[in-house]
Amino acid sequence: APTIFYVTSTTNDGSYKADVTIPILILCNENLTVDTTGGTPTLTLETGASDAVVNYTSVSASALKFIYTVEAGHNSSDLDYKNSSALALNSGSVTDTAGNTLVVTLADPTETNSLSSNKDLVIDTTAPTLSEVTPVPTPDNDNTPSYTFTTNETGTLTTSITEGFTGGASVNITSTGNNTVTFAALGDGSYAGKTLTLTDAAGNATNLSITTFVIDTTAPSAFTVGAVSSTGNTVVSNYWNSTNTGIDVIVPVASDTSLTGGTIQLRANVAGGGYENLGDAYTIQGSDLGTNKTISNTAGTFEALSAGLAEGESVAFTAIITDSSSNSTTGTASGTTLAVDQTAPTISEQTVVTT
């Protein structure tokens, strides 16, 4: 009687998803004749929770051909038949030229001459699982921002963002878990409704929605710091005296929504020694937009500049405006300077001699 030699496939080794057809060939030691009048032979494959039962389709000399169509839910790390009795004639007949019936015993799965020993066919009908880990900061002045996500599969990553990634239109994801990618140079604007798509080796794809973010690389508009004045007790224009208790600096704030949440940092230059921060940065409020903002500091803060102001020194003022994306502009210095004069005049007695 004819016997089975080995089982193989004409499909290349690789990973395959649902709806792909894979021919499976059972090679025997003699030429065969198949009669399906009484029934059609089948081959049962081990495909996970639901096993595939594949129908015989044709015979060519000593090779029986079965066509397997991958269905949703089928999965196998190395496709093979169910067991050594997975081939069933189902009342059909498979005989040699002398009329002897084929012995339908197969090699045990994974053993020599089995399907999995001859081919490496991965059946994967499960799409990758993706989730966002670290979104792009928003707003952001880095036009090549990074983005971190996690995945349970490897594969090829693409994005609906036109500019793609720094390495090209796609990235090869070679490890599961957290992965960080960097987008290519992006233009200023809002990036809403954008996605990442990971396609695994079998062709299963999953989209991940990217949290909307804004790229803003434009610095705040140019400005000139306004008037500076001492406050408290005896106020004299352009002077800082021993009775003053504070200092006010006027900074114009443009009507630009990107400034909301940004900061104004006053700067002072004592006697031409270079600019240093004056007090803490002020956080810009929405109500400040389009106004001249007065920023106040105490005498203690002002007099601590340059390790302590000295009599006769002159102090110039400017400010740095930083928007919510960390873009900054240093303003033109105020036209007002303050001269330090904290010494009261002295009066001495004079003797008048008459003759």
Side-chain angles (χ1 to χ4, degrees), residues 17 128 130 153-158 197-206:
K17 64 176 183 175
L130 306 179
E153 289 195 57
T154 59
T156 301
L157 188 74
T158 57
T197 301
L198 183 67
T199 304
D200 65 19
N204 303 296
T206 297

Side-chain angles (χ1 to χ4, degrees), residues 55-334:
N55 287 332
Y56 156 84
T57 58
S58 63
V59 63
S60 176
S62 63
L64 301 174
K65 185 176 184 180
F66 297 76
I67 298 295
Y68 165 47
T69 300
V70 181
E71 296 181 3
H74 288 180
N75 290 285
S76 174
S77 60
D78 193 358
L79 183 64
D80 212 335
Y81 39 80
K82 182 75 173 176
N83 49 43
S84 60
S85 58
L87 175 61
L89 297 184
N90 298 320
S91 298
S93 68
V94 180
T95 58
D96 62 14
T97 55
N100 300 301
T101 298
L102 174 69
V103 177
V104 296
T105 303
L106 300 160
D108 287 334
T110 75
E111 297 297 322
T112 301
N113 295 327
S114 67
L115 176 60
S116 64
S117 72
N118 290 319
K119 300 295 295 185
D120 292 317
L121 302 173
V122 176
I123 306 303
D124 177 7
T125 63
T126 304
T129 299
L130 306 179
S131 59
E132 186 175 79
V133 175
T134 307
V136 176
T138 187
D140 193 5
N141 69 347
D142 180 0
N143 69 342
T144 57
S146 295
Y147 179 87
T148 301
F149 67 98
T150 187
T151 174
N152 67 339
E153 289 195 57
T154 59
T156 301
L157 188 74
T158 57
T159 179
S160 64
I161 294 176
T162 304
E163 292 84 351
F165 306 103
T166 53
S170 64
V171 174
N172 188 24
I173 301 300
T174 59
S175 62
T176 59
N178 287 0
N179 282 266
T180 299
V181 292
T182 302
F183 295 108
L186 305 177
D188 283 8
S190 177
Y191 290 79
K194 303 301 182 182
T195 59
L196 293 180
T197 301
L198 183 67
T199 304
D200 65 19
N204 303 296
T206 297
N207 292 330
L208 172 63
S209 295
I210 299 171
T211 298
T212 298
F213 63 93
V214 173
I215 297 297
D216 175 12
T217 61
T218 304
S221 56
F223 66 99
T224 299
V225 175
V228 179
S229 59
S230 56
T231 60
N233 299 316
T234 304
V235 174
V236 179
S237 297
N238 300 107
Y239 280 93
W240 177 261
N241 63 50
S242 60
T243 71
N244 296 145
T245 59
I247 185 171
D248 286 347
V249 180
I250 296 176
V251 179
V253 181
S255 184
D256 177 355
T257 57
S258 72
L259 298 180
T260 302
T263 61
I264 300 172
Q265 176 63 64
L266 296 181
R267 303 272 285 168
N269 184 345
V270 179
Y275 279 97
E276 59 187 289
N277 288 345
L278 170 59
D280 296 328
Y282 169 78
T283 299
I284 301 171
Q285 308 299 311
S287 58
D288 296 326
L289 303 183
T291 69
N292 289 318
K293 178 64 182 178
T294 298
I295 300 177
S296 301
N297 279 280
T298 65
T301 299
F302 179 58
E303 292 178 347
L305 289 171
S306 191
L309 298 178
E311 187 76 4
E313 289 181 324
S314 178
V315 184
F317 300 88
T318 188
I320 298 173
I321 293 181
T322 302
D323 67 18
S324 56
S325 299
S326 298
N327 304 295
S328 62
T329 296
T330 299
T332 300
S334 169

Side-chain angles (χ1 to χ4, degrees), residues 4-9 24-26 81 106 113-115 118:
I4 296 171
F5 183 28
Y6 67 92
V7 182
T8 189
S9 175
I24 297 175
L25 302 178
I26 297 178
Y81 39 80
L106 300 160
N113 295 327
S114 67
L115 176 60
N118 290 319

